[in-house]
Amino acid sequence: MKKIGFDNEKYIATQSAHIKERIAHFGGKLYLEFGGKLFDDYHASRVLPGFEPDSKVRMLCQMKDDAEIVIVISAGDIEKNKVRSDLGITYDVDVLRLIDAFRGIGLYVGSVVITQYAGQAAADAFKKRLTALGMPVYMHYPIAGYPGNVPLIVSDEGYGRNEYIETTRPLVVITAPGPGSGKMATCLSQLYHEHKRGVQAGYAKFETFPIWNLPLKHPVNIAYEAATADLRDVNMIDSFHLEAYGERAVNYNRDLEVFPVVKRIIEKITGEESEYKSPTDMGVNRAGFSIIDDEVCREAANQEIIRRFMIAQVDYKKGKIDEASLERAKLLMDEQELKISDRKVV
């Protein structure tokens, strides 16, 4: 019998309760950037035995009367016919799949946002297709100097040019077919428009990994680095959190790099000092509190690190990844003192 290291029911209950607290904290309206996979999170189920692949959507289903989904896709990705490597379908087709999948479990999809729109014909055609299906579509535009040029971003020529997304529920989940679609920019653009309308609203981020309250070198967090070796994601101690609270928390390089700018944008929108002192503050992830057997999760994560290295070897030979990505996967193996023979199938 498979050993369990993670209490899935506790996770669903505590995660939904924590998100509800964050909604209330911001006066009844929260834009929640949803990173990673909402459906079929098999990585999480491999490194946290007991985590069900559909846990995140089940958690949202507990809040379905309060939640609406907004799906974001970049006009550039539509034009390039960008493909989801795990499913082998283009991002625009995946948007249609996600709409059906969300509706199939009773979640309300409010609209689709096409970001970085600069007159791409493929984006126009996709908008026409969605509109014919009765799906509201909004257009967001490139902003020169993004994300550094805060005075321009937070102005009528920046976020002000973007179409305001009509939403009707307290929790607005911003999701996308893949990374780089513009989820965070969509959330912050909405904060700008809501503030102009005198509506209280907040922003938060949902990422399962790295787990902020596990040690930096915990195998579960290292397994996340192994899974994103080609993206060069690196887990780091959140220096902002350490300085503000004297507590160690784990985040990753991209969130740490962008945090000072995001904080400035929020402060420029609201005209007040942001209560977020760190990127960890922005997160709402409670996964770490639902680990019930640390040893089981450590062993499962070590197995995942080996598995990812073996996949990287194959992908390198197929020309899917570069040598640096393969070396990164091998370095993580060495760091944990793992050998491929530690995996039973080998």
Side-chain angles (χ1 to χ4, degrees):
M1 185 176 158
K2 184 182 171 186
K3 290 181 180 175
I4 299 297
F6 187 85
D7 186 334
N8 202 62
E9 296 311 311
K10 179 184 177 184
Y11 170 69
I12 290 170
T14 56
Q15 187 65 71
S16 55
H18 188 60
I19 291 171
K20 284 175 183 172
E21 282 171 21
R22 192 68 66 97
I23 296 168
H25 179 77
F26 282 114
K29 188 82 173 183
L30 180 69
Y31 287 91
L32 184 61
E33 179 192 349
F34 232 99
K37 290 174 183 163
L38 260 171
F39 292 93
D40 307 329
D41 193 342
Y42 292 109
H43 175 81
S45 65
R46 285 191 295 269
V47 301
L48 300 169
F51 183 102
E52 297 291 338
D54 65 348
S55 293
K56 287 185 261 187
V57 286
R58 280 175 56 198
M59 179 269 295
L60 283 178
C61 282
Q62 290 206 342
M63 309 169 67
K64 65 178 164 191
D65 292 339
D66 294 327
E68 73 177 272
I69 313 288
V70 173
I71 304 172
V72 176
I73 182 170
S74 157
D77 290 342
I78 299 170
E79 190 177 41
K80 288 184 296 193
N81 283 316
K82 190 169 181 181
V83 172
R84 264 189 72 153
S85 57
D86 54 343
L87 298 176
I89 60 174
T90 55
Y91 275 27
D92 54 346
V93 172
D94 194 37
V95 168
L96 300 172
R97 181 191 75 89
L98 287 168
I99 292 168
D100 286 343
F102 286 128
R103 285 174 172 171
I105 55 172
L107 286 168
Y108 169 58
V109 182
S111 57
V112 171
V113 181
I114 297 177
T115 62
Q116 295 290 312
Y117 176 69
Q120 295 91 338
D124 290 333
F126 187 54
K127 178 182 179 180
K128 193 173 177 182
R129 186 178 179 187
L130 288 168
T131 304
L133 294 169
M135 176 58 61
V137 181
Y138 299 95
M139 310 304 267
H140 284 190
Y141 304 96
I143 303 172
Y146 193 90
N149 191 352
V150 176
L152 175 62
I153 292 164
V154 185
S155 74
D156 290 343
E157 288 74 43
Y159 287 149
R161 281 184 67 218
N162 291 340
E163 293 179 358
Y164 171 64
I165 306 162
E166 299 284 349
T167 60
T168 57
R169 300 193 178 181
L171 175 63
V172 183
V173 173
I174 308 288
T175 187
S181 299
K183 297 189 295 286
M184 178 185 283
T186 300
C187 290
L188 297 175
S189 175
Q190 281 297 103
L191 281 196
Y192 173 83
H193 283 280
E194 297 287 20
H195 189 74
K196 294 273 278 189
R197 287 165 169 75
V199 176
Q200 266 196 307
Y203 160 72
K205 189 175 171 80
F206 188 114
E207 295 267 16
T208 309
F209 302 105
I211 295 180
W212 64 273
N213 57 338
L214 288 182
L216 181 64
K217 297 299 180 184
H218 193 288
V220 167
N221 282 339
I222 298 295
Y224 166 74
E225 289 192 86
T228 56
D230 57 329
L231 298 175
R232 309 289 195 269
D233 279 356
V234 179
N235 295 337
M236 306 171 91
I237 294 296
D238 183 343
S239 54
F240 300 100
H241 203 77
L242 187 63
E243 186 178 344
Y245 307 105
E247 293 174 355
R248 287 166 70 90
V250 176
N251 219 296
Y252 71 111
N253 54 313
R254 282 185 288 150
D255 269 11
L256 286 163
E257 285 160 13
V258 81
F259 173 71
V261 177
V262 174
K263 187 171 185 286
R264 281 171 56 215
I265 288 173
I266 291 172
E267 289 174 346
K268 177 87 171 159
I269 289 169
T270 62
E272 299 172 0
E273 186 180 349
S274 171
E275 56 195 89
Y276 287 147
K277 304 285 188 257
S278 71
T280 301
D281 279 350
M282 287 184 175
V284 292
N285 180 27
R286 310 306 280 173
F289 296 103
S290 299
I291 291 173
I292 52 174
D293 192 323
D294 187 62
E295 275 308 309
V296 167
C297 293
R298 282 175 178 271
E299 174 55 26
N302 280 331
Q303 291 296 313
E304 177 67 2
I305 294 163
I306 302 168
R307 177 182 167 277
R308 292 285 183 176
F309 170 64
M310 295 172 80
I311 289 170
Q313 287 182 305
V314 174
D315 285 348
Y316 176 65
K317 288 182 178 177
K318 286 182 175 178
K320 287 184 177 180
I321 62 170
D322 59 17
E323 191 173 0
S325 299
L326 177 60
E327 286 173 359
R328 175 101 182 107
K330 179 68 170 75
L331 183 71
L332 295 169
M333 284 268 292
D334 294 343
E335 204 174 86
Q336 296 299 107
E337 298 181 353
L338 298 170
K339 307 181 295 294
I340 59 169
S341 56
D342 291 330
R343 194 154 169 81
K344 274 184 185 174
V345 66
V346 176

